[in-house]
Amino acid sequence: MIVVLTGAPGAGKGTQAELLAKRGGFKKLSTGDALRKHVKAGTSIGKLAGAVMERGELVSDELLFSILREELALLSEGELILLDGYPRNIAQAEALDSLKSTHPVKAAILLDVPRQELVARLSGRRVCGGCGATYHVKEQPSKVAGICDKCGGELSQRPDDSPSSVNVRLDIYEKATRPVLEYYRKHGVFREVVGVGDPESIYGVLRDTISGF
Ligand code: AMP
């Protein structure tokens, strides 16, 4: 069973997916994380995807579907899966539906955040190269600038969080991903959750929304 967590880049999908995995009994599957692992490991997929990701564009649907199946195969059957970052367009939503005999979509939840707030969040985001912890230069700074509180690793900006890539990603979201919301609305599995505010309160609403299905 799959719950799709959707929303623009910077909406907080990663943070909420983390909380749902820790406390809500979900297995988190993030296609962005899977791709970044390939890039870091220098695999052939990573080489194909890396430059596209840096520009903030979408990697090909074929490559993503094969990554999705690969990641799903690593999880046990009957697992409750939280999908973060897929589908990002209608073709991907249809591809996911082709797996419905084993992986039906139970719910699709939008974390809704205004664009102005998204730009501020993404441009200030810093990520630890060691453990992957995320910070924000203004909202959630590390104790020592540039150093991770958790593991002492070095913090840096994701290449696709640069101002030019952020705008490309938000435009692609509006054009390609927003129609997916309507797709799930028509399937009767769509809900919206306000993604602005304290992450704990957002988590509470999100968890109750998912339980309502
Ligand atoms: P994310 O961490 O979800 O923001 O993903 C980072 C980048 O990985 C995106 O900007 C895309 O370049 C690529 N990516 C992740 N998921 C997908 C997807 N479902 N379709 C196409 N590209 C993706």
Side-chain angles (χ1 to χ4, degrees), residues 139-187:
E139 307 299 334
Q140 200 197 341
S142 56
K143 290 193 188 102
V144 180
I147 304 291
C148 178
D149 295 346
K150 293 182 183 141
C151 77
E154 199 176 320
L155 305 184
S156 61
Q157 186 173 49
R158 260 171 57 172
D160 58 348
D161 281 344
S162 69
S164 61
S165 296
V166 162
N167 278 310
V168 171
R169 288 162 72 203
L170 293 176
D171 288 346
I172 290 177
Y173 171 77
E174 286 302 327
K175 215 169 138 212
T177 311
R178 200 168 267 288
V180 172
L181 313 184
E182 195 50 39
Y183 178 92
Y184 285 121
R185 205 191 300 274
K186 279 192 190 135
H187 283 69

Side-chain angles (χ1 to χ4, degrees), residues 9-10 13 30-33 35-36 49 52-54 56-61 64 84-89 92 125 158 160 169:
K13 302 187 296 296
S30 153
T31 49
D33 285 351
L35 282 165
R36 279 184 288 276
V52 182
M53 291 170 73
E54 267 194 37
E57 294 166 8
L58 293 187
V59 177
S60 81
D61 292 342
L64 259 295
D84 162 13
Y86 192 100
R88 269 177 149 94
N89 58 32
Q92 292 184 5
R125 177 160 72 176
R158 260 171 57 172
D160 58 348
R169 288 162 72 203

